[in-house]
Amino acid sequence: MNEAPLSFEAAAFQCFVRGLRGVWRDEAYRGSVEAAQRAGSDEPAEIERKARHSPAYSLYSWLERHSQQFKYYGRYGVVRWMEERKDTLSKVLEEAAKRHPQRLQLDPALELPEYVRAVDTHQHGGGIWGDAADAFAYETSSSAYSFSLFNPRLPMDLYAATAQRLAPQAKEVLDLGCTSGGSTRALKKAFPDAKVTGLDVAAPTLELAHLRSLEADLEVHFRQANSEKLPWPRASVDLVASHWLYHEMPPAAVRRSLTEARRVLKKGGGFMAYDMYLVPGGAIGRWLQAGYAARNNEPFAHTYAGMDMEKELEAAGFKGIEMKIAHPEPSPEVQAGALPPHRTHFMTMITAQAA
Ligand SMILES: C[S@@+](CC[C@H](N)C(=O)[O-])C[C@H]1O[C@@H](n2cnc3c(N)ncnc32)[C@H](O)[C@@H]1O
């Protein structure tokens, strides 16, 4: 299960980075919010201009960018760590691909979208689609702790429970942008009798998803495909779900993906997107979110938050659209639309039915 365990020194280094993240999330965040409140503006750009020189915000923004780089590329950063073990990790994935090969369908001819190739998402140089080392590094970094330090299992539980409520009888389920399959396995556990397929554009991460599903003894399928062009026939799917996908796609690509989701869904089928979308906290919340998107190389987190998803879903042929902040650590402040006492990702659950 753990093919490249971190040494004592590397684990200690990652604890240090987590500690830095804690300062970012708590003290530096609170000081930044106070500086923004003093700015007294309803315009994120104006808040940025006035708060820029506050020591707390300088620290906050520096930590937001650089603690991520330490995590990946510091002396014991996870990308570096996996890079040095790349040959072994590639072999592990090759061997796994030979077991139940019908469950892993790669498409070497698939062209990676420009927006995936061009952005070092999360500051991961070259992205997670390059090779085995990239896939393992992303898995280690996201399973050890999310950017805002919440327990990564919490969102999965909510994802699965919402899917069950939305499409209790589902027999054909798609999980778009599945990466190493954490969200796909959560869906398989929620729908043990369904055919559950995780899709992603990145081959190495799908190979890792396949390995992890074999280890978990779950019959999950993985397919390399672009959510903008789903290799499924019209009206053949009961549920199309995604966790953390759309904030990584530009608006035109999100739009094509919604149209495709509607095309493959049966009438009345469920659509669900769990991602950063609604931003509570008014102008200060939008200022913090735009800064996060820029500093962590997630440019489309900003454009996705600017889309009118209700309108987009209606135009794509959905009805019964609901969206609400559904943060994995339920906090009354966040649910009510206020800034929480510490910096966190604001997760929104969007659900709809194919009209
Ligand atoms: C933040 S990760 C998703 C995390 C995953 N769902 C989980 O729960 O662990 C986003 C994933 O979306 C994939 N992706 C980006 N654009 C895509 C597209 N157009 N079609 C399919 N996958 C895409 C990326 O390769 C990446 O693996």
Side-chain angles (χ1 to χ4, degrees), residues 113 115-116 122 128-129 138 142 156 175-183 199-202 205 225-228 242-245 247-249:
Y115 53 84
V116 172
H122 312 141
I128 60 163
W129 43 268
Y138 179 78
S142 58
M156 291 295 113
D175 182 37
L176 310 181
C178 65
T179 320
S180 47
S183 45
L199 269 95
D200 205 288
V201 287
T205 203
N226 187 334
S227 73
E228 297 172 60
S242 61
H243 173 238
W244 285 117
L245 171 65
H247 81 283
E248 292 194 1
M249 297 170 67

Side-chain angles (χ1 to χ4, degrees), residues 45-281:
E46 180 69 357
I47 296 176
E48 174 70 19
R49 202 179 60 73
K50 290 188 169 160
R52 189 181 295 151
H53 301 297
S54 122
Y57 179 55
S58 299
L59 177 66
Y60 173 86
S61 49
W62 190 92
L63 284 172
E64 189 160 71
R65 182 144 182 95
H66 295 281
S67 64
Q68 184 80 335
Q69 290 181 14
F70 287 172
K71 178 173 94 167
Y72 284 144
Y73 298 107
R75 177 150 182 212
Y76 294 106
V78 289
V79 174
R80 271 196 181 185
W81 185 263
M82 298 302 168
E83 200 60 37
E84 285 165 17
R85 292 152 182 83
K86 184 155 71 186
D87 291 345
T88 312
L89 297 174
S90 302
K91 283 198 189 84
V92 169
L93 294 187
E94 264 168 43
E95 286 308 310
K98 292 179 191 157
R99 294 164 56 202
H100 296 287
Q102 73 286 0
R103 294 185 198 164
L104 177 65
Q105 204 173 337
L106 300 182
D107 177 3
L110 182 81
E111 210 176 306
L112 280 173
E114 166 69 12
Y115 53 84
V116 172
R117 271 184 289 124
V119 181
D120 287 343
T121 304
H122 312 141
Q123 305 183 59
H124 187 150
I128 60 163
W129 43 268
D131 55 37
D134 292 322
F136 277 93
Y138 179 78
E139 181 200 40
T140 301
S141 70
S142 58
S143 60
Y145 51 98
S146 74
F147 204 110
S148 356
L149 301 174
F150 57 68
N151 177 346
R153 280 184 45 195
L154 296 173
M156 291 295 113
D157 294 345
L158 186 63
Y159 191 60
T162 308
Q164 266 173 335
R165 266 203 309 280
L166 188 64
Q169 309 299 330
K171 289 282 170 271
E172 181 84 35
V173 174
L174 304 187
D175 182 37
L176 310 181
C178 65
T179 320
S180 47
S183 45
T184 326
R185 284 186 291 283
L187 289 176
K188 180 64 189 176
K189 287 180 195 158
F191 299 97
D193 300 327
K195 180 171 182 198
V196 178
T197 306
L199 269 95
D200 205 288
V201 287
T205 203
L206 289 168
E207 291 171 322
L208 179 54
H210 178 62
L211 166 67
R212 295 299 181 228
S213 304
L214 293 172
E215 288 168 346
D217 202 15
L218 286 172
E219 187 186 335
V220 185
H221 296 255
F222 292 100
R223 188 157 181 183
Q224 189 178 11
N226 187 334
S227 73
E228 297 172 60
K229 198 167 186 301
L230 295 171
W232 263 261
R234 179 177 297 279
S236 60
V237 174
D238 302 293
L239 173 68
V240 174
S242 61
H243 173 238
W244 285 117
L245 171 65
Y246 291 126
H247 81 283
E248 292 194 1
M249 297 170 67
V254 173
R255 222 162 269 140
R256 282 192 289 274
S257 184
L258 299 182
T259 306
E260 270 299 85
R262 175 60 194 93
R263 183 185 65 77
V264 300
L265 276 169
K266 297 173 189 164
K267 196 166 181 223
F271 171 89
M272 162 181 151
Y274 189 35
D275 205 336
M276 293 184 284
Y277 176 62
L278 299 171
V279 180

Side-chain angles (χ1 to χ4, degrees), residues 282-340:
I284 296 180
R286 292 202 304 281
W287 166 67
L288 291 166
Q289 184 66 3
Y292 164 80
R295 289 185 282 266
N296 202 35
N297 287 7
E298 299 188 65
F300 308 119
H302 194 50
T303 53
Y304 177 53
M307 290 180 80
D308 183 339
M309 281 299 282
E310 194 165 350
K311 231 168 150 176
E312 300 285 354
L313 281 160
E314 265 169 18
F318 289 96
K319 61 175 187 178
I321 301 154
E322 288 181 17
M323 53 185 74
K324 60 168 190 261
I325 289 181
H327 194 262
E329 283 172 347
S331 126
E333 296 94 337
V334 180
Q335 310 294 350
L339 282 171

